């Protein structure tokens, strides 16, 4: 049985969906004012692995991940660029889709945009006003009355009185209480805006997700996920808005991915250790990056470093070396690798344990290959199947291991020609020349492997 750690209850518990066989999941997506960074990639990959595994077990997963395409940051960046906000967001959305495709992240079932749900947002704000949980202020904004919602702080164990101590009201705000947060912002001159009962304006950040999740999945759904920075205040505010408006539980299970640190420090532009997904993929193979992100448990932090990426590359090479030269063909097997892999994943998606099972399978496959055992093709198929549940090991082994040449290095064609030259030297019994070619290639990280079928090669990490 699948067990998931619930951020709300602070414990793992058996997962039972609202509707048998179907899982409704909403994950907070990206505010598209800039290129996605490695922290975004961590959340994308974590919930992609979760979705892939649940689907592999027969669940019908309706995976919704929103796009925030109207926001202060978007308006500010567009003004700096001298372009319209929608031009900026369209470019960034296209870039995001390119980045996630390279990381083999499947597109969500639904990808709602805030600007396409303005009517739903206005309707939700009106409901909150009618129920006394929100109020229009003199400055044209609409605010949520935090202290009216008795359960405020239940996700993150925040105490309202303690929160009030550190809160303050900005000069331009017209709140009743410093804890109140904005649902609808009145538009400044020249800003993108929509008509509303309170004048021209745009939605606050928190209300967008309450409206989009309700529209896509209903008043109550199974799983809500997101990044490590979202439990407070974003998800806390979503709960307050949705439960006050709808009069029922908002979400049954809350899941949050862990943060990314860079060489054990928090990633930030001010520290100069901020990396976009594109920065990373310029240096590292996309599947290596995905494996690096997926093999760490989704709730723990990841330490991004050169050594960590190199280690991930070496580990992934072990899988592909085992698959190399073996035709993966499904067949009967008497082992418990798949059973133990699934058990690990059913335990709150324990990818470190699942990957360790895959390495045991690699040892079994290597042994079968060495001994010429008949079950080698079935073991290779099993390894690819388990890897597929994590979005891994679907490439041709030779293509992965040979990769692309680095700048100034030998091309694949040049390597193949040198292998031909070496074979001709050996045929002419010029073993010194053959050995020199092998040694010269090895000095450039090109490793040759001779067999009865001929010579294969791969690029060493």
């Amino acid at each position: 049985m699948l067990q998931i750690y619930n951020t709300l209850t602070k414990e793992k518990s058996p997962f039972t969906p609202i509707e048998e066989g179907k899982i409704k999941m909403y994950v907070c997506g990206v505010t598209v004012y800039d290129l996605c960074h490695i922290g975004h990639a961590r959340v994308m990959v974590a919930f992609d692995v979760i979705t892939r595994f649940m689907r592999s077990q027969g669940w019908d997963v309706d995976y919704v991940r929103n796009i925030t395409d109207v926001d202060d940051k978007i308006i500010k960046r567009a003004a700096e660029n001298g372009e319209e906000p929608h031009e900026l967001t369209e470019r960034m959305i296209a870039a995001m889709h390119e980045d996630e495709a390279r990381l083999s992240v499947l597109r969500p079932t639904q990808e709602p945009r805030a600007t396409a749900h303005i009517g739903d947002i206005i309707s939700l704000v009106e409901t909150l006003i009618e129920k006394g949980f929100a109020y229009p202020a003199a400055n044209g904004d609409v605010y949520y009355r935090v202290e009216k919602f008795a359960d405020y702080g239940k996700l993150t164990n925040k105490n309202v009185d303690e929160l009030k101590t550190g809160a303050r009201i900005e000069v331009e705000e017209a709140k009743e209480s410093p804890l109140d947060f904005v649902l609808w912002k009145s538009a400044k001159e020249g800003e993108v805006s929509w008509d509303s009962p309170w004048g021209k304006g745009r939605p606050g950040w928190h209300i967008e997700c309450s409206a989009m999740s309700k529209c896509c999945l209903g008043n109550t759904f199974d799983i809500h996920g997101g990044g490590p920075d979202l439990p407070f205040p974003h998800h806390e505010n979503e709960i307050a808005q949705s439960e006050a408006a709808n009069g029922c539980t908002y979400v049954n299970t809350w899941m949050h991915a862990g943060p990314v640190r860079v060489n054990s420090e928090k990633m930030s532009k001010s520290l100069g250790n901020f990396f976009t997904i594109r920065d990373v993929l310029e240096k590292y193979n996309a599947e290596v990056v995905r494996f690096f992100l997926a093999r760490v448990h989704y709730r723990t932090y990841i330490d991004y470093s050169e050594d960590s990426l190199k280690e991930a590359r070496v580990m992934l090479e072990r899988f592909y070396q085992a698959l190399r030269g073996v035709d993966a063909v499904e067949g009967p097997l008497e082992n418990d690798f798949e059973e133990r892999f699934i058990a690990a994943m059913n335990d709150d998606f324990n990818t470190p344990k699942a990957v360790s099972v895959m390495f045991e399978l690699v040892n079994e496959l290597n042994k079968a290959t060495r001994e010429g055992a008949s079950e080698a093709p079935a073991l290779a198929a099993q390894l690819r199947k388990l890897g597929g549940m994590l979005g891994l090991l679907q490439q041709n082994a030779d293509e992965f291991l040979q990769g692309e040449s680095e700048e100034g290095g030998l091309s694949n064609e040049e390597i193949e020609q040198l292998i031909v030259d070496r074979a001709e030297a050996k045929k002419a019994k010029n073993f010194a020349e053959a050995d020199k070619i092998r040694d010269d290639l090895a000095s450039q990280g090109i490793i040759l492997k001779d067999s009865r079928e001929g010579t294969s090669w791969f690029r060493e990490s």
Side-chain angles (χ1 to χ4, degrees), residues 47-346:
F47 284 98
D48 183 68
V49 167
I50 288 165
T51 301
R52 284 174 182 267
F53 175 71
M54 292 192 297
R55 285 175 176 162
S56 77
Q57 301 308 294
W59 302 93
D60 176 10
V61 183
D62 190 355
Y63 175 24
V64 181
R65 191 188 66 204
N66 76 292
I67 294 174
T68 296
D69 60 346
V70 57
D71 178 85
D72 290 341
K73 292 177 180 176
I74 291 170
I75 293 169
K76 183 174 182 291
R77 180 62 58 84
E80 291 170 351
N81 293 351
E83 61 184 331
E84 293 298 319
H86 74 273
E87 294 173 336
L88 171 65
T89 57
E90 288 300 325
R91 284 195 298 108
M92 292 301 106
I93 291 168
M96 177 186 72
H97 287 157
E98 290 171 6
D99 290 344
E100 64 185 4
R102 291 182 67 187
L103 290 171
S104 298
V105 171
L106 301 174
R107 293 283 286 275
T109 320
Q110 302 182 64
E111 196 172 47
R113 301 186 186 190
T115 56
H117 288 268
I118 299 298
D120 299 315
I121 292 167
I122 290 173
S123 177
L124 189 56
V125 174
E126 287 180 314
T127 299
L128 289 168
I129 292 173
E130 290 168 7
K131 292 190 172 188
F133 285 94
Y135 58 93
N139 63 354
D141 293 346
V142 180
Y143 293 98
Y144 184 93
R145 285 191 176 99
V146 167
E147 289 168 88
K148 185 173 175 60
F149 185 69
D151 286 338
Y152 192 82
K154 65 180 179 179
L155 180 67
T156 54
N157 294 328
K158 301 288 186 185
N159 180 282
V160 169
D161 291 332
E162 291 176 359
L163 289 170
K164 283 178 72 175
T165 302
R168 62 191 179 91
I169 297 177
E170 300 293 338
V171 174
E172 73 276 7
E173 294 176 326
K175 301 177 181 180
E176 294 176 353
S177 165
L179 291 185
D180 296 348
F181 58 88
V182 69
L183 300 174
W184 184 263
K185 292 186 174 186
S186 60
K188 296 182 176 67
E189 190 170 344
E191 285 186 346
V192 58
S193 64
W194 290 263
D195 290 327
S196 81
W198 318 285
K200 285 189 174 293
R202 55 190 169 84
W205 177 37
H206 311 299
I207 197 69
E208 295 176 354
C209 285
S210 284
M212 286 186 282
S213 61
K214 176 184 173 76
C215 180
C216 295
L217 299 175
N219 289 350
T220 305
F221 52 95
D222 299 296
I223 297 172
H224 195 317
D229 56 332
L230 296 182
F232 186 85
H234 185 53
H235 288 162
E236 204 72 77
N237 291 350
E238 278 188 60
I239 292 172
Q241 295 163 162
S242 297
E243 296 192 355
N246 302 326
C248 58
T249 298
Y250 178 39
V251 174
N252 288 340
T253 301
W254 287 87
M255 301 177 68
H256 292 93
V260 175
R261 298 176 186 167
V262 179
N263 294 315
S264 300
E265 290 188 311
K266 183 178 179 179
M267 185 176 71
S268 72
K269 289 184 177 179
S270 61
L271 292 174
N273 62 0
F274 180 90
F275 299 97
T276 68
I277 296 174
R278 296 187 170 200
D279 291 334
V280 178
L281 295 183
E282 281 183 9
K283 290 189 68 175
Y284 299 100
N285 175 282
E287 189 170 359
V288 170
V289 176
R290 182 183 174 93
F291 179 64
F292 161 72
L293 296 168
R295 74 184 183 95
V296 177
H297 192 277
Y298 78 91
R299 284 193 286 116
T300 61
Y301 83 88
I302 290 180
D303 193 18
Y304 177 90
S305 67
E306 297 280 339
D307 289 342
S308 297
L309 269 297
K310 288 176 182 176
E311 181 184 15
R313 169 78 195 190
V314 170
M315 294 172 75
L316 200 54
E317 280 178 354
R318 279 189 60 192
F319 290 127
Y320 276 114
Q321 289 285 9
L323 290 168
R324 189 176 203 176
V326 182
D327 291 327
V329 180
E330 290 188 15
L333 285 170
E334 294 184 7
N335 64 46
D336 64 353
F337 294 121
E338 184 170 344
E339 180 183 344
R340 289 193 292 125
F341 178 97
I342 290 171
M345 292 298 289
N346 272 331

Side-chain angles (χ1 to χ4, degrees), residues 5-12 153-157:
Y5 180 87
N6 189 343
T7 309
L8 180 65
T9 62
K10 309 296 184 292
E11 63 181 12
K12 278 191 290 188
K154 65 180 179 179
L155 180 67
T156 54
N157 294 328

Side-chain angles (χ1 to χ4, degrees), residues 240-461:
Q241 295 163 162
S242 297
E243 296 192 355
N246 302 326
C248 58
T249 298
Y250 178 39
V251 174
N252 288 340
T253 301
W254 287 87
M255 301 177 68
H256 292 93
V260 175
R261 298 176 186 167
V262 179
N263 294 315
S264 300
E265 290 188 311
K266 183 178 179 179
M267 185 176 71
S268 72
K269 289 184 177 179
S270 61
L271 292 174
N273 62 0
F274 180 90
F275 299 97
T276 68
I277 296 174
R278 296 187 170 200
D279 291 334
V280 178
L281 295 183
E282 281 183 9
K283 290 189 68 175
Y284 299 100
N285 175 282
E287 189 170 359
V288 170
V289 176
R290 182 183 174 93
F291 179 64
F292 161 72
L293 296 168
R295 74 184 183 95
V296 177
H297 192 277
Y298 78 91
R299 284 193 286 116
T300 61
Y301 83 88
I302 290 180
D303 193 18
Y304 177 90
S305 67
E306 297 280 339
D307 289 342
S308 297
L309 269 297
K310 288 176 182 176
E311 181 184 15
R313 169 78 195 190
V314 170
M315 294 172 75
L316 200 54
E317 280 178 354
R318 279 189 60 192
F319 290 127
Y320 276 114
Q321 289 285 9
L323 290 168
R324 189 176 203 176
V326 182
D327 291 327
V329 180
E330 290 188 15
L333 285 170
E334 294 184 7
N335 64 46
D336 64 353
F337 294 121
E338 184 170 344
E339 180 183 344
R340 289 193 292 125
F341 178 97
I342 290 171
M345 292 298 289
N346 272 331
D347 182 15
D348 194 33
F349 310 101
N350 191 336
T351 51
K353 193 170 183 178
V355 168
S356 72
V357 173
M358 291 172 64
F359 274 116
E360 291 182 48
L361 175 53
V362 162
N363 292 336
E364 192 74 11
L365 173 56
N366 285 336
K367 179 183 176 184
T369 302
R370 284 195 305 271
E371 296 175 355
S374 60
E375 65 265 25
L379 289 168
Q382 186 177 47
L383 181 58
R384 285 196 181 273
K385 180 182 179 181
L386 300 188
M389 294 186 200
L390 305 180
L392 300 165
L393 305 184
Q394 304 307 297
Q395 291 189 61
N396 174 277
D398 279 333
E399 289 178 3
F400 174 83
L401 292 166
Q402 292 173 1
E404 298 178 0
S405 63
E406 296 181 1
E407 189 174 344
L410 292 172
S411 68
N412 291 9
E413 293 75 15
E414 289 171 324
I415 294 166
E416 296 286 357
Q417 183 57 54
L418 286 168
I419 290 172
V420 171
D421 294 345
R422 176 172 173 263
E424 291 176 353
K426 289 172 74 174
K427 189 175 180 180
K429 300 191 183 304
N430 188 351
F431 298 113
E433 178 61 19
D435 290 343
K436 182 178 183 303
I437 292 172
R438 172 188 280 274
D439 293 342
D440 286 346
L441 287 170
S443 70
Q444 298 183 65
I446 311 301
I447 308 303
L448 305 185
K449 296 192 79 172
D450 295 321
S451 68
R452 284 177 295 182
E453 289 75 30
T455 300
S456 61
W457 64 273
F458 65 94
R459 296 183 191 276
E460 195 173 39
S461 297

